[in-house]
């Protein structure tokens, strides 16, 4: 297969489609006197996290969604963070709350996630949100997994009956996307750092989802000819978790990094915030 025959899964195009649909909905909310509002919480000074939060805020602004940025020092305690989240829970003008992951080591991230009110859990990070997603009826599934599903849907790539191999089992990415693929009738194998002979398992995949957090981790000769490759990775220097050029040689379709899963994740977050404003906006 030549490069020309490859389908490059264009995240910017998928994101543009999602955002276009939001414009009319945001205008209708404005007629009701409601401006959707996303609150982002950044704890500590991690530069990548600060960039992600800034990108999310800018994306809100461009679409007429308001955003509140809560920035807390790395010395913040779990109790202080939970208090900040509860304040946002009680603020009727806030429709979605996003706690940027990861938080500094001294903080109990799980306890902080659990403090987010379910109706404002626009990134599906609470146990209830996670469970609803696993059952297939979440209002707001985690944004990156939902973005991966949106890309597959946009390009009408078949899932039913296909073998999907997910590399990574984090609660915000690997596990929820595994559940979503399973709910869409894929046969799913979820791999992790203790998986033996990962390459052989990936070679069986019709759909590969890379969610590892290691640059260029997935090798070209792991990819079955014709497989679809979705790279959720986002490492310093705009590098994905997939060796893009090498994997493209065998894949039939592949997401680039940047301009793949990332922009669709942000568009999904905006969509969930608008969903929440429509549901609970007053
Ligand atoms: P994470 O919490 O660090 O999880 C990484 C997963 O990869 C873990 O389940 C880990 O296994 C597994 N893993 C690590 N080394 C492995 C190996 N050698 N073989 C197989 N599996 C291995 O990361 P995350 O938050 O899920 O994020 C994953 C990637 O997605 C990162 O690059 C991150 O930047 C990116 N990301 C992108 C977006 C976006 O919008 N595009 C959003 C979120 C995250 P164990 O469970 O055994 O430790």
């Amino acid at each position: 297969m030549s490069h020309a025959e490859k389908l490059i899964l264009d995240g910017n195009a998928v994101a543009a489609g999602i955002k276009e649909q939001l414009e009319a909905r945001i205008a209708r909310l404005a007629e009701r006197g409601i401006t959707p509002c996303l609150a982002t919480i950044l704890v500590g000074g991690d530069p990548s996290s600060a960039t992600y939060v800034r990108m999310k805020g800018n994306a809100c602004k461009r679409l007429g969604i308001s955003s509140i940025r809560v920035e807390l020092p790395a010395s913040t305690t779990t109790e202080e963070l939970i208090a900040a989240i509860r304040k946002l829970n009680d603020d009727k003008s806030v429709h979605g709350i996003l706690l940027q992951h990861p938080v500094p080591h001294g903080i109990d991230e799980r306890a902080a996630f659990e403090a987010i009110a379910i109706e404002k859990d626009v990134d599906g990070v609470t146990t209830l949100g996670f469970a609803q997603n696993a059952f297939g009826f979440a209002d707001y599934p985690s944004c990156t997994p939902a973005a991966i599903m949106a890309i597959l849907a946009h390009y009408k790539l078949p899932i039913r009956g296909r073998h999907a191999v997910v590399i990574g089992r984090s609660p915000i990415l690997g596990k929820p996307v595994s559940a979503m693929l399973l709910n869409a009738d894929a046969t799913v194998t979820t791999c992790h750092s203790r998986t033996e002979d990962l390459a052989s398992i990936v070679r069986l995949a019709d759909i590969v989802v890379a969610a590892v957090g290691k640059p260029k981790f997935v090798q070209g000769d792991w990819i079955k000819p014709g497989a679809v490759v979705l790279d959720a990775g986002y490492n310093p220097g705009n590098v994905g978790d997939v060796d893009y050029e090498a994997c493209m040689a065998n894949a039939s379709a592949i997401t680039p990094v940047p301009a793949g899963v990332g922009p669709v994740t942000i568009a999904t977050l905006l969509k969930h915030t608008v969903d929440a404003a429509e549901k609970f906006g007053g």
Side-chain angles (χ1 to χ4, degrees):
M1 217 181 282
S2 74
H3 267 208
E5 292 170 84
K6 307 289 174 181
L7 181 56
I8 307 301
L9 304 171
D10 179 356
N12 286 332
V14 180
I18 294 171
K19 287 191 259 185
E20 201 183 304
Q21 289 187 3
L22 292 181
E23 281 170 12
R25 293 171 61 190
I26 292 167
R28 278 198 296 277
L29 279 166
E31 286 164 14
R32 289 167 54 195
I34 299 165
T35 305
C37 176
L38 174 71
T40 57
I41 309 170
L42 177 64
V43 190
D46 176 58
S48 306
S49 294
T51 305
Y52 300 148
V53 166
R54 203 171 36 249
M55 283 163 73
K56 287 163 187 171
N58 290 343
C60 282
K61 208 172 180 180
R62 281 196 291 272
L63 220 59
I65 294 173
S66 74
S67 61
I68 295 175
R69 263 174 81 170
V70 177
E71 288 184 17
L72 300 170
S75 58
T76 302
T77 63
T78 304
E79 291 69 30
E80 287 164 345
L81 176 55
I82 288 175
I85 291 168
R86 293 215 171 113
K87 213 167 142 201
L88 296 169
N89 286 342
D90 293 339
D91 184 339
K92 288 199 181 338
S93 71
V94 170
H95 304 105
I97 300 173
L98 181 116
L99 170 60
Q100 185 63 43
H101 158 90
V103 296
H105 287 306
I107 294 175
D108 182 344
E109 184 177 83
R110 179 61 10 221
F113 278 152
E114 295 306 341
I116 298 173
I118 183 70
E119 64 275 15
K120 300 190 181 189
D121 179 18
V122 286
D123 200 16
V125 295
T126 59
T127 48
L128 184 54
F130 179 93
Q132 288 177 344
N133 181 50
F135 277 104
F137 55 74
D139 283 331
Y140 324 115
S142 297
C143 293
T144 304
I148 289 167
M149 300 305 287
I151 292 169
L152 290 168
H154 179 94
Y155 286 99
K156 297 186 170 57
L157 295 164
I159 302 173
R160 176 175 297 173
R162 302 298 158 110
H163 184 193
V165 172
V166 177
I167 315 169
R169 59 172 167 180
S170 73
I172 58 147
L173 220 174
K175 276 182 188 160
V177 79
S178 296
M180 292 172 100
L181 288 162
L182 184 62
N183 289 336
D185 293 329
T187 300
V188 182
T189 304
T190 307
C191 302
H192 47 81
S193 66
R194 303 287 183 266
T195 297
E196 291 181 9
D197 201 1
L198 180 66
S200 301
I201 296 170
V202 178
R203 282 190 188 107
L204 300 173
D206 303 304
I207 299 170
V208 179
V209 177
V212 197
K214 295 199 162 131
K216 296 190 175 187
F217 179 78
V218 177
Q219 302 299 298
D221 66 355
W222 299 4
I223 304 300
K224 182 165 86 173
V228 173
V229 178
L230 298 131
D231 187 354
Y234 199 70
N235 303 291
N238 278 346
V239 179
D241 287 350
V242 157
D243 186 345
Y244 182 71
E245 289 294 332
C247 289
M248 188 199 270
N250 279 336
S252 61
I254 187 165
T255 55
V257 176
V261 174
V264 190
T265 296
I266 292 180
T268 303
L269 178 65
L270 303 182
K271 178 183 176 297
H272 289 174
T273 304
V274 173
D275 290 344
E278 285 176 346
K279 242 181 146 172
F280 301 105

